[in-house]
Amino acid sequence: MLRVNLRLPVGAMLQRVPVSALLADKAMAMAMPTVATGGDYRARRSVHGGGDSPSKWRKPEAGRLKLNFDGSSRHASQSASIGGVYRDHKGEFVLGYAEPIGAATSSVAELAALRRGLELALENGWSGVWVEGDDLSAVEAARGSHRRPRLGRAEEDLRLWKEIAELLPLLGDDMAVSHVRRGGNRVAHGFAKLGHSVPRPRVWRGVPPAEVLKYIQRDAGRK
């Protein structure tokens, strides 16, 4: 597994890199098999922990970063936002993100939150990450499952599902994926809620916003 450098500049914001450029650069460097080429890649994608979905957040092992993601859709206003967080094996905050995405369903928001989290891993050169969310359909997308979204889903869901499938092989063959209950995804949910109030995409490094700090501390066992 690629060991990650966690010395991140405080308060810096990521400049968004086009996904097409990430795909081209990584594909040439890694020559990894894509999800569409067969079952080998899917077979190597682990389901971390196994068993029933936990209700508490779990720390990753040393050398691995963990991504928790979430989407938020307000039915009254039809506005949606996304958010997510990366933490290390001590439960320390590494990076968080939030942004509004306009009118969207909750399923689109969940998939968009996952896609953005994977993009950030590529932008930072992180591989072998542990990905976790509380939406079963988005978790299936992260696993690179053969199962497509059920018939009748909107075109936007299908597009996001495909884009996620294209990103997965670029993140290494030891990536882990798991489902967690809502109580174990509180920090990601907090970032998703922040996405409704920020005017543009935001990324936090090193120091989290105050709105999620208490949940990070609780997950890390410090409060």
Side-chain angles (χ1 to χ4, degrees):
M1 183 194 310
L2 176 67
R3 300 297 176 182
V4 296
N5 182 357
L6 301 182
R7 283 183 257 176
L8 300 173
V10 174
M13 289 184 61
L14 282 175
Q15 180 178 5
R16 184 170 295 216
V17 178
V19 175
S20 58
L22 292 170
L23 291 172
D25 292 345
K26 281 281 185 176
M28 292 178 64
M30 300 174 65
M32 291 287 293
T34 65
V35 170
T37 60
D40 290 345
Y41 180 72
R42 278 181 291 269
R44 294 198 298 271
R45 185 168 304 287
S46 63
V47 181
H48 205 286
D52 295 334
S53 300
S55 57
K56 293 184 178 180
W57 186 80
R58 298 163 293 170
K59 298 175 183 177
E61 60 267 34
R64 189 192 292 271
L65 293 180
K66 185 174 184 181
L67 164 67
N68 283 83
F69 67 92
D70 198 22
S72 174
S73 180
R74 292 176 173 171
H75 298 292
S77 62
Q78 294 186 330
S79 63
S81 61
I82 64 173
V85 57
Y86 274 97
R87 283 171 283 183
D88 65 14
H89 67 284
K90 295 181 180 180
E92 298 288 347
F93 175 79
V94 175
L95 179 150
Y97 60 96
E99 64 181 85
I101 60 171
T105 64
S106 58
S107 63
V108 165
E110 292 283 355
L111 291 168
L114 169 60
R115 181 191 61 182
R116 182 61 181 139
L118 299 180
E119 289 174 354
L120 286 165
L122 290 174
E123 291 174 15
N124 284 276
W126 300 335
S127 65
V129 298
W130 177 1
V131 176
E132 187 172 76
D134 59 26
D135 180 79
L136 282 170
S137 181
V139 168
E140 284 297 314
R143 288 174 180 161
S145 172
H146 283 290
R147 185 174 67 81
R148 301 273 295 182
R150 64 179 180 269
L151 293 176
R153 281 289 182 92
E155 188 64 28
E156 183 71 2
D157 291 66
L158 299 175
R159 182 182 67 81
L160 287 165
W161 191 281
K162 180 180 178 181
E163 290 177 358
I164 289 166
E166 291 172 343
L167 291 170
L168 293 176
L170 310 181
L171 290 163
D173 60 4
D174 57 350
M175 178 178 154
V177 181
S178 63
H179 178 260
V180 68
R181 296 178 186 176
R182 188 68 173 266
N185 209 37
R186 293 173 298 182
V187 177
H189 180 68
F191 275 103
K193 287 181 63 178
L194 275 175
H196 287 291
S197 60
V198 296
R200 62 185 184 281
R202 286 287 310 274
V203 174
W204 293 261
R205 290 174 175 265
V207 178
E211 290 88 341
V212 300
L213 181 58
K214 65 179 180 180
Y215 299 117
I216 292 174
Q217 291 173 335
R218 288 176 186 174
D219 284 349
R222 296 196 300 271
K223 191 173 181 180

